[in-house]
């Protein structure tokens, strides 16, 4: 949004010496000393924690509105009184106005915000460079040609790159990190030729997007390719996906803004748009891949229709939906392509009290069985029988007709109850290796034992109580090591830690069979 309060409140010198020392992204709140999400006031350069920590940046603004809290401001006329309303997030350099209660895209006439942003970026880069020389210590991994990095007491991967949070974009970061560790999918985009989107003086430059650049065509495939290339190259500790986020704003209007979004909805929309864009000619050449065999083109999901792409090649599977009329026994079958399966957590586990430790543990197979098992349709889902010519009581059952190369499983943790959307916080036990899907197949006898086994590649976790709040992180495996991706922070972790996570989205990769078809 365009903020009218900048000229009256942004009045600090871009190179002010009152800024603290060190990396701006690690500055501490002057009240609680927390270094999580530091925000700097652009009126007085005071540093406080953001609204998703302890909210001292907001308290700083509120105190400025109280005449008793600042006797000096009380003496000034209302028009001249400084409001301390505009802050900059020191991690992603986005601007927030408490008076407008929204993030800001415009700047002052003197471009003070951009100058402050550039100054903080220079401070960040200088501090990181000095910190690398002073604190980093390389230790050798027992396996050949692999190194680990020890930094500030925590062990991290040398080549692992985090993603900066651009204002509640943890949902996007968790999905991008997960997809970057699905090698067959990620490698396809990394191998695509680059598409030059800007011409003239700005060609090749990565600018800070203000999301107010008009109707500029943006290739989501190209921005996704750039992001995948930036990860795991080891040249930086954190990458800012602002160009990709700008592409999301342009191509996926549902995700415009800085509010928290659902990671599952994001990955579905993202795969959908990547698929549709790849179907079109990119820079004069088609990017379609080998079509999948025996897949029906009739689907309620747009992202499966049309020519096959890397999206359907990797994530595409097929369900057989059987519906039986309980009055005349007529059976109806249809095939439904899918990119992921959304699984309910069975009711008997959902109703388990939080402090109840005893009793059976819900497993991923329990959720899969609940999805596949025969069920009687309720009154709102009555089936129109072709023989009876009217809606009749009926049963429904799913079978998997074709398994995908990457099986994406979404655990339905958010449910509407009355006027609230509550979270199911039940722990679901899931295997890290050897998920056997053979018992859920329509024709298991036609599949070899190795073709039905899946190993976990990544898992997305939602921390918090509500879909519109909380925080997303991801665990993913890379070259035999498990990593925890928490926005710009990446740390090595143990398998036991991954197994204890309360999964929201699971990405399982088909176990390779010698001689199998590759993309």
């Amino acid at each position: 949004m365009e903020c009218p309060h900048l000229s009256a409140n942004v009045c600090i010198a871009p190179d002010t010496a009152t800024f603290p020392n060190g990396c701006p992204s690690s500055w501490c709140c002057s009240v609680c000393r927390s270094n999580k999400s530091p925000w700097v006031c652009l009126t007085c350069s005071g540093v406080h924690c953001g609204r998703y920590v302890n909210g001292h940046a907001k308290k700083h603004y509120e105190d400025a509105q109280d005449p008793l809290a600042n006797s000096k401001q009380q003496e000034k006329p209302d028009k001249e009184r400084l409001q301390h309303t505009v802050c900059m997030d020191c991690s992603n350099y986005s601007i927030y106005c408490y008076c407008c209660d929204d993030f800001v895209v415009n700047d002052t006439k003197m471009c003070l915000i951009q100058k402050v942003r550039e100054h903080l970026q220079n401070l960040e880069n200088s501090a990181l460079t000095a910190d690398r020389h002073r604190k980093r210590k390389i230790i050798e991994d027992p396996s050949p040609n692999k190194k680990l990095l020890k930094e500030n007491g925590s062990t991290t991967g040398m080549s692992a790159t985090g993603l900066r949070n651009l204002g509640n974009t943890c949902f996007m970061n968790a999905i991008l990190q997960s997809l970057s560790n699905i090698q067959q999918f990620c490698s396809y985009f990394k191998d695509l030729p680059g598409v030059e989107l800007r011409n003239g003086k700005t060609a090749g430059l990565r600018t800070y997007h203000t999301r107010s650049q008009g109707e500029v065509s943006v290739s989501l495939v190209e921005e996704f390719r750039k992001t995948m290339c930036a990860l795991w190259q080891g040249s930086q500790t954190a990458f800012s996906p602002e160009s990709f986020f700008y592409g999301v704003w342009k191509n996926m209007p549902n995700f415009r803004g800085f509010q928290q979004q659902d990671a599952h909805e994001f990955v579905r929309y993202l795969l959908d748009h990547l698929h549709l864009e790849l179907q079109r000619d990119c820079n004069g050449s088609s990017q379609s891949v080998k079509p999948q065999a025996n897949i029906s083109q009739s689907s309620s999901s747009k992202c499966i229709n049309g020519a096959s792409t890397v999206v359907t090649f990797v994530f595409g599977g097929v369900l057989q939906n059987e519906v039986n009329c309980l009055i005349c026994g007529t059976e109806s079958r249809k095939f439904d392509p899918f990119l992921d399966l959304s699984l309910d957590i069975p009711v008997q586990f959902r109703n388990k009290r939080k402090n109840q430790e005893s009793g059976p543990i819900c497993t991923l197979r329990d959720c899969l069985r609940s999805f596949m098992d025969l069920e009687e349709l309720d009154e709102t889902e009555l089936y129109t029988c072709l023989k009876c010519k009217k809606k009749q009581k009926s049963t429904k059952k799913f079978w998997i007709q074709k398994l995908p190369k990457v099986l994406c499983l979404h655990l339905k943790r958010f449910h509407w109850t009355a006027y609230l959307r509550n979270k199911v916080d039940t722990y679901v036990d899931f295997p890290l290796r050897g998920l056997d899907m053979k018992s859920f197949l329509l024709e298991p006898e036609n599949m070899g034992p190795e073709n039905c086994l899946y190993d976990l590649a990544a898992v997305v976790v939602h921390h918090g109580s509500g879909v519109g709040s909380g925080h997303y992180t991801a665990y993913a495996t890379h070259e035999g090591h498990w990593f925890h991706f928490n926005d710009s922070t990446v740390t090595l972790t143990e398998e036991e830690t991954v197994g204890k996570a309360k999964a929201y989205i699971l990405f399982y990769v088909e176990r390779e069979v010698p001689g199998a078809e590759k993309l």
Side-chain angles (χ1 to χ4, degrees):
M1 58 151 285
E2 300 284 333
C3 174
H5 308 104
L6 299 186
S7 59
N9 288 276
V10 179
C11 52
I12 62 172
D15 56 351
T16 178
T18 60
F19 286 137
N21 296 322
C23 297
S25 61
S26 300
W27 285 347
C28 295
C29 172
S30 60
V31 178
C32 65
R33 309 308 298 168
S34 171
N35 63 354
K36 295 180 180 179
S37 185
W39 289 21
V40 60
C41 174
L42 296 188
T43 302
C44 66
S45 71
V47 177
H48 301 86
C49 57
R51 54 181 182 159
Y52 299 112
V53 187
N54 294 318
H56 286 122
K58 183 179 181 181
K59 180 70 164 51
H60 175 70
Y61 157 71
E62 291 171 344
D63 288 345
Q65 314 316 303
D66 183 3
L68 298 178
N70 195 328
S71 58
K72 291 184 179 179
Q73 288 193 7
Q74 187 179 14
E75 299 171 359
K76 296 182 179 181
D78 288 345
K79 292 184 179 180
E80 298 180 11
R81 183 182 302 164
L82 297 177
Q83 301 294 308
H84 297 256
T85 181
V86 182
C87 293
M88 178 181 287
D89 187 325
C90 300
S91 298
N92 55 58
Y93 314 117
S94 57
I95 303 299
Y96 190 85
C97 176
Y98 278 105
C99 190
C100 297
D101 194 24
D102 204 348
F103 285 89
V104 177
V105 299
N106 57 316
D107 202 339
T108 66
K109 291 182 179 180
M110 302 297 294
C111 297
L112 288 178
I113 288 178
Q114 183 61 26
K115 291 177 181 178
V116 172
R117 181 180 289 125
E118 292 173 354
H119 181 64
L120 294 191
Q121 288 175 326
N122 290 333
L123 289 178
E124 184 84 13
N125 293 335
S126 299
L128 285 175
T129 301
D131 196 54
R132 286 193 190 101
H133 291 299
R134 187 176 70 256
K135 294 184 178 180
R136 285 191 171 184
K137 181 174 69 175
I138 304 298
I139 59 173
E140 295 294 331
D141 188 85
S143 55
N145 300 323
K146 289 184 180 177
K147 293 183 178 181
L148 300 178
L149 180 70
K150 198 162 189 178
E151 179 178 356
N152 297 332
S154 63
T155 307
T156 61
M158 175 186 284
S159 59
T161 301
L163 287 169
R164 294 193 185 280
N165 193 309
L166 305 179
N168 283 334
T169 57
C170 56
F171 69 93
M172 179 183 77
N173 292 347
I175 293 299
L176 290 175
Q177 293 287 12
S178 297
L179 295 178
S180 76
N181 286 284
I182 299 174
Q183 296 306 316
Q184 194 174 25
F185 186 69
C186 177
S187 297
Y188 175 88
F189 288 92
K190 290 166 70 174
D191 293 340
L192 283 177
V195 178
E196 193 58 58
L197 298 180
R198 291 180 291 276
N199 300 314
K201 295 180 180 179
T202 60
L205 297 180
R206 298 185 61 84
T207 60
Y208 183 88
H209 293 295
T210 63
R211 288 82 152 163
S212 61
Q213 298 181 2
E215 296 300 322
V216 180
S217 177
V218 177
S219 167
L220 196 61
V221 168
E222 171 66 2
E223 296 305 332
F224 185 77
R225 182 195 70 83
K226 290 178 183 177
T227 304
M228 293 297 101
C229 290
L231 300 175
W232 293 107
Q233 63 182 7
S235 61
Q236 51 190 331
T237 57
F239 171 72
S240 181
E242 56 197 33
S243 292
F244 175 78
F245 193 38
Y246 177 66
V248 169
W249 279 43
K250 283 291 184 181
N251 292 278
M252 298 158 59
N254 289 13
F255 295 91
R256 289 176 183 170
F258 293 93
Q259 65 271 27
Q260 183 66 281
Q261 302 278 3
D262 183 6
H264 175 247
E265 291 182 7
F266 177 75
V267 71
R268 285 306 310 269
Y269 273 90
L270 175 61
L271 293 178
D272 183 11
H273 281 268
L274 291 176
H275 172 70
L276 293 175
E277 190 174 323
L278 286 169
Q279 283 184 320
R280 300 191 295 266
D281 286 345
C282 293
N283 201 23
S285 61
S286 176
Q287 298 294 340
S288 294
V289 298
K290 306 171 188 177
Q292 293 170 305
N294 303 322
I295 289 188
S296 169
Q297 295 300 326
S298 61
S299 170
S300 59
S301 174
K302 289 183 179 180
C303 54
I304 302 296
N305 290 342
S308 178
T309 68
V310 67
V311 175
T312 51
F313 187 84
V314 173
F315 290 96
V318 181
L319 284 174
Q320 176 177 288
N321 184 356
E322 294 181 356
V323 179
N324 284 275
C325 176
L326 293 178
I327 305 303
C328 68
T330 300
E331 183 180 90
S332 173
R333 298 179 181 178
K334 68 174 183 176
F335 292 97
D336 295 323
F338 67 88
L339 294 181
D340 71 316
L341 298 178
S342 289
L343 312 177
D344 276 307
I345 297 175
V347 176
Q348 65 267 31
F349 300 105
R350 266 190 271 161
N351 294 335
K352 189 176 179 180
R353 295 178 181 177
K354 292 183 178 180
N355 58 356
Q356 184 181 349
E357 299 295 336
S358 59
I361 295 176
C362 181
T363 67
L364 187 58
R365 294 193 69 82
D366 291 325
C367 300
L368 284 164
R369 277 193 292 266
S370 176
F371 178 81
M372 299 289 180
D373 279 351
L374 185 72
E375 66 170 319
E376 184 173 339
L377 298 176
D378 59 31
E379 294 294 327
T380 61
E381 300 177 309
L382 288 180
Y383 162 66
T384 301
C385 177
L386 297 176
K387 185 176 181 180
C388 300
K389 304 299 182 182
K390 62 179 181 179
K391 291 185 176 181
Q392 300 283 31
K393 288 187 176 181
S394 53
T395 60
K396 178 180 70 174
K397 180 173 176 59
F398 287 119
W399 294 97
I400 296 179
Q401 194 267 343
K402 178 186 177 298
L403 283 166
K405 297 183 181 300
V406 174
L407 179 63
C408 178
L409 300 176
H410 161 236
L411 298 179
K412 296 163 73 172
R413 291 195 173 275
F414 299 105
H415 291 265
W416 285 102
T417 57
Y419 300 102
L420 299 175
R421 198 176 188 186
N422 294 331
K423 182 181 177 182
V424 179
D425 206 37
T426 304
Y427 169 73
V428 177
D429 184 44
F430 55 91
L432 271 64
R433 299 181 187 84
L435 173 64
D436 192 350
M437 296 295 293
K438 190 170 186 177
S439 61
F440 304 110
L441 288 177
L442 178 64
E443 299 174 339
E445 64 276 5
N446 295 335
M447 300 290 288
E450 288 293 318
N451 295 90
C452 306
L453 294 179
Y454 286 80
D455 298 321
L456 187 66
V459 53
V460 175
V461 182
H462 177 268
H463 311 268
S465 58
V467 66
S469 60
H471 183 59
Y472 286 98
T473 65
Y475 294 95
T477 180
H478 185 84
E479 296 183 353
H481 297 287
W482 279 98
F483 294 86
H484 184 214
F485 298 91
N486 183 2
D487 287 336
S488 58
T489 303
V490 183
T491 54
L492 271 172
T493 190
E494 301 294 332
E495 287 189 356
E496 292 78 8
T497 303
V498 179
K500 293 177 181 178
K502 291 184 178 179
Y504 182 48
I505 306 171
L506 297 147
F507 295 91
Y508 279 95
V509 177
E510 182 183 44
R511 186 171 289 179
E512 290 188 9
V513 179
E517 179 188 20
K518 292 186 178 181
L519 183 64

